[in-house]
Amino acid sequence: MPQLKAKSLEMRTPQATKTAVLVIGGAEDKVHGREILRTFVSRSGASNAYITIIPSASREPSIIGGRYIRIFEEMGAQKVEILDIREREQCEDPYIQASLEACSGVFLTGGDQLRLCGVLADTPAMDIIRQRVRSGQLTLAGTSAGAAVMGHHMIAGGGSGESPNRSLVDMATGLGFIPEVIVDQHFHNRNRMVRLMSAIASHPDRLGIGIDEDTCAMFERDGWLQVLGKGSVTVVDPTEVTHTNEPHVGATDPLNLHNLRLHLLSHGDRYHLYQRTVLPAVYRISS
């Protein structure tokens, strides 16, 4: 029996793909072990990595971009550059498009997710990034605001500390790299559980992903996500919800959600985006 169980777990253990999408909850470690950022550089090619930083979400793009340049160069990336895109028209610049066609990793910084989407959405530059991510040619990472834009439906803002209600969350359209999810960042650090639940009540065909600070949900191309970092990734799964009053109540009235499924994942745990199954780190079989 133990041998059969081990074999079964070995078969379930996902295999790392070359490229991945790293969705980071913000405030990732930039000083000490820097595990999340090191993983991004590794998946982008390690010493052969050509990394492009897009700080469009930030009010101080040159400052925040410069900090990541220093970090990625210290980690041994072959080439690191900033694409300081502040206007949509820049996304048609041949130099910017050539950079996005050639690079092996794109890093979206924090700031304002609405600003980031306003600059990049439905542009030639965005088309290049999306096509290369889908074809497995490019590793993509986004932190804080850069994480919020990953789904088709995006949390643009909202409150916390109340009962779930529709007015608690402001929704917008994201960049849709992982359209099946709605991402919320700085999650437990800013008490955003109820905000994400309110978003899922309005969009029960999506999966809620709440990511703590210095924590990453790394999405592999085979559908598995793996948790990296010191905090938790919270999965809010409405697949088996039997009832919600969301369509029938006012904006500030309390919401109900019956039979909502919740997973709290920590470092090394994995979750399959489509099968909706969990693979705890403690049971993984090393190759």
Side-chain angles (χ1 to χ4, degrees):
M1 283 295 291
Q3 288 180 332
L4 288 174
K5 184 176 181 181
K7 185 63 177 177
S8 172
L9 288 166
E10 191 170 25
M11 292 172 65
R12 288 174 57 203
T13 301
Q15 300 301 308
T17 52
K18 181 180 177 183
T19 59
V21 177
L22 285 78
V23 188
I24 308 166
E28 71 281 358
D29 175 16
K30 302 178 184 66
V31 178
H32 301 294
R34 304 191 290 195
E35 176 195 17
I36 294 169
L37 297 179
R38 287 188 186 280
T39 301
F40 167 66
V41 172
S42 175
R43 288 302 188 94
S44 299
S47 60
N48 295 317
Y50 172 4
I51 293 173
T52 293
I53 300 162
I54 301 179
S56 303
S58 175
R59 293 183 183 276
E60 299 178 320
S62 59
I63 294 174
I64 194 168
R67 186 173 191 190
Y68 282 109
I69 279 185
R70 290 190 295 274
I71 290 170
F72 295 144
E73 286 180 343
E74 288 173 6
M75 292 179 177
Q78 184 178 73
K79 181 176 180 180
V80 188
E81 65 181 1
I82 298 175
L83 292 186
D84 189 358
I85 305 172
R86 305 190 190 196
E87 304 294 338
R88 291 179 59 82
E89 293 74 20
Q90 293 175 261
C91 293
E92 300 181 14
D93 185 316
Y95 173 83
I96 287 175
Q97 293 186 32
S99 175
L100 293 173
E101 288 281 11
C103 68
S104 59
V106 167
F107 191 90
L108 307 175
T109 73
D112 182 338
Q113 52 262 45
L114 287 174
R115 182 186 296 117
L116 180 59
C117 289
V119 170
L120 288 185
D122 300 317
T123 64
M126 190 70 253
D127 291 342
I128 293 169
I129 298 172
R130 180 176 288 110
Q131 186 276 327
R132 296 194 68 218
V133 168
R134 286 179 177 172
S135 63
Q137 300 174 336
L138 182 70
T139 290
L140 175 68
T143 185
S144 191
V149 302
M150 292 293 179
H152 171 73
H153 298 293
M154 176 180 78
I155 295 178
S160 61
E162 302 177 28
S163 298
N165 66 79
R166 296 209 322 261
S167 69
L168 197 63
V169 59
D170 301 320
M171 301 298 296
T173 301
L175 296 179
F177 293 110
I178 312 171
E180 301 89 350
V181 304
I182 297 175
V183 175
D184 211 348
Q185 5 76 311
H186 304 280
F187 193 62
H188 285 113
N189 313 82
R190 300 186 185 177
N191 192 22
R192 288 177 168 172
M193 176 73 83
V194 169
R195 183 166 92 165
L196 183 57
M197 287 181 172
S198 300
I200 289 299
S202 300
H203 301 282
D205 58 334
R206 308 294 155 146
L207 192 70
I209 305 289
I211 310 174
D212 293 352
E213 293 178 358
D214 195 19
T215 308
C216 171
M218 181 169 66
F219 289 81
E220 304 280 5
R221 295 177 63 217
D222 60 4
W224 287 96
L225 74 81
Q226 179 182 356
V227 180
L228 307 173
K230 71 176 187 181
S232 299
V233 170
T234 301
V235 177
V236 180
D237 180 2
T239 303
E240 298 179 7
V241 164
T242 56
H243 173 77
T244 176
N245 63 354
E246 193 277 338
H248 311 294
V249 297
T252 59
D253 292 331
L255 293 173
N256 62 34
L257 281 165
H258 299 175
N259 209 40
L260 186 69
R261 178 174 289 187
L262 195 70
H263 302 281
L264 291 176
L265 311 178
S266 60
H267 183 85
D269 288 346
R270 299 183 191 242
Y271 181 85
H272 201 281
L273 188 60
Y274 308 113
Q275 298 173 6
R276 305 290 169 96
T277 55
V278 178
L279 187 58
V282 67
Y283 295 122
R284 293 212 320 274
I285 305 298
S286 61
S287 50

